[in-house]
Amino acid sequence: MRLATRRDGTRDGALVVVSTDGERLLPASRIATTLQAALDDWSRAEPALRAIAARLDAGQGNGFAETDLMAPLPRAWQWLDGSAFPTHGALMQQAFGLPPIETDKPLMYQGMSHRFLGPTEDVPLPSEADGIDFEGEFGVITGDVPMGCPADEALAHVRLIVLINDWSLRGIAPAEMKTGFGWVQAKPACSVAPFAVTPGALGDAWRGGRVCLPLIVEVNGTWFGSPRGDEMAFGFHDLIAHAARSRDLPAGTLIGSGTVSNVDHAALGSSCLSERRAIEMIAHGAPQTPFLSFGDRVTMGAGEASVFGVIDQRVVRPASPLKQPVRLPQ
């Protein structure tokens, strides 16, 4: 089953169900007005949503444009991003002479969750000098997860799976990392592909708590990479259990895999600019690939016919803020 959120003039949009071929949709407002509402009452909502999906499979529904769609979950209670692909960390450590992180636990930070960009929205960012980068990731949206949930029970709490572009500002990140408090300015709003899918919709591509598909990235129409999601050192069940060790997770928690990265990066490429630049530093002593400029276009999908739909966005200058008149005291 594929779920999406259609623009309706509100912050959270309107929940719709999308056909298996991604061509048609039907509204789900009689079941739940928003995806968050469906997640909050999943045991009741899921069977009714599947009934709508069956109608779509029977040929019902209306066509739509992906520009009509927001992120499936336009804002979430919580966004927790992991770093579960060891190749990515190893390359960055080698290129920049960083010591390895001494831990046997998953790496994770809490990021901005009050807004996720839709799949075709322009991405306004403050300055090209900030080192504009993309990061292709897979993610899961959970139902309610109790505190202390063990890893071997965690996948039962996965409701939906998504494809994410975790935008990053590499020029800002090092200074924020040195503070020890984590990222704020270096991590603007993420983008999410149009369709959130149930684990069953992935079939054999959902194995071991991993999305076993290539994440295909293009920059300005040129192939950049297609690393696979199989090589996570920690599956999503491990990431969920890690996040829930000392707190419960509310329905609508979004957990990311971190940058998808493979050992065979020479053949499969990368899913972020920083990793390619690190590879170039190791090979040539200096990076050759620039960060993004305003007007650059980034697309992401998964597999030949992306079950998640496609993220297709341009990086743009921010709109000029309105200048308020200065009011002198009387």
Side-chain angles (χ1 to χ4, degrees):
M1 180 170 62
R2 298 188 191 193
L3 302 178
T5 294
R6 197 171 195 177
R7 298 183 189 282
D8 68 350
T10 68
R11 291 186 178 188
D12 297 305
L15 178 63
V16 296
V17 184
V18 179
S19 60
T20 302
D21 61 10
E23 298 294 329
R24 289 164 290 110
L25 59 75
L26 284 170
S29 57
R30 293 184 179 179
I31 299 163
T33 54
T34 66
L35 180 55
Q36 183 61 55
L39 292 164
D40 286 338
D41 194 12
W42 191 250
S43 61
R44 179 195 65 82
E46 183 192 20
L49 293 171
R50 289 194 180 278
I52 295 177
R55 290 167 53 197
L56 286 161
D57 289 342
Q60 296 184 35
N62 303 308
F64 65 96
E66 289 196 0
T67 53
D68 295 337
L69 301 181
M70 306 170 72
L73 198 59
R75 50 181 176 169
W77 286 110
Q78 193 162 215
W79 159 233
L80 301 171
D81 196 13
S83 182
F85 289 88
T87 298
H88 178 71
L91 287 169
M92 302 301 283
Q93 289 163 10
Q94 183 179 353
F96 294 100
L98 301 172
I101 298 173
E102 300 294 341
T103 182
D104 58 356
K105 296 180 173 60
L107 301 176
M108 184 175 287
Y109 74 93
Q110 186 162 335
M112 168 183 163
S113 63
H114 64 267
R115 187 186 179 198
F116 291 92
L117 299 174
T120 61
E121 287 185 60
D122 285 345
V123 183
L125 293 170
S127 171
E128 292 174 340
D130 290 336
I132 302 170
D133 198 358
F134 52 84
E135 292 187 59
E137 306 189 16
F138 294 110
V140 298
I141 300 173
T142 74
D144 290 307
V145 181
M147 182 172 63
C149 176
D152 60 3
E153 297 178 12
L155 292 184
H157 299 289
V158 173
R159 300 292 181 251
L160 299 162
I161 304 167
V162 292
L163 172 64
I164 301 165
N165 184 352
D166 176 28
W167 294 98
S168 297
L169 302 178
R170 301 298 186 182
I172 299 174
E176 288 197 310
M177 290 175 68
K178 288 178 182 178
T179 68
F181 276 82
W183 289 297
V184 176
Q185 295 178 350
K187 288 292 186 177
C190 298
S191 304
V192 187
F195 310 140
V197 306
T198 51
L202 293 182
D204 291 341
W206 178 245
R207 300 192 305 273
R210 295 161 173 84
V211 179
C212 302
L213 290 171
L215 198 163
I216 302 169
V217 183
E218 293 184 357
V219 179
N220 295 324
T222 299
W223 177 86
F224 189 88
S226 52
R228 295 183 58 87
D230 310 45
E231 292 189 18
M232 289 174 74
F234 296 97
F236 279 109
H237 51 299
D238 299 307
L239 298 183
I240 293 169
H242 178 78
R245 181 183 180 276
S246 59
R247 55 179 166 173
D248 61 351
L249 307 178
T253 295
L254 180 55
I255 298 179
S257 67
T259 307
V260 177
S261 178
N262 291 173
V263 171
D264 191 12
H265 51 77
L268 297 176
S270 300
S271 66
C272 78
L273 288 166
S274 189
E275 180 173 299
R276 176 177 281 189
R277 287 166 59 90
I279 293 166
E280 292 167 347
M281 290 175 65
I282 294 166
H284 308 294
Q288 300 173 347
T289 301
F291 289 116
L292 297 176
S293 299
F294 294 134
D296 283 342
R297 178 183 173 195
V298 179
T299 62
M300 294 184 183
E304 293 182 4
S306 181
V307 67
F308 304 104
V310 175
I311 298 173
D312 186 353
Q313 296 177 298
R314 292 182 311 127
V315 178
V316 300
R317 299 179 188 276
S320 298
L322 294 175
K323 293 183 178 180
Q324 299 298 324
V326 176
R327 299 185 182 277
L328 299 177
Q330 300 296 318

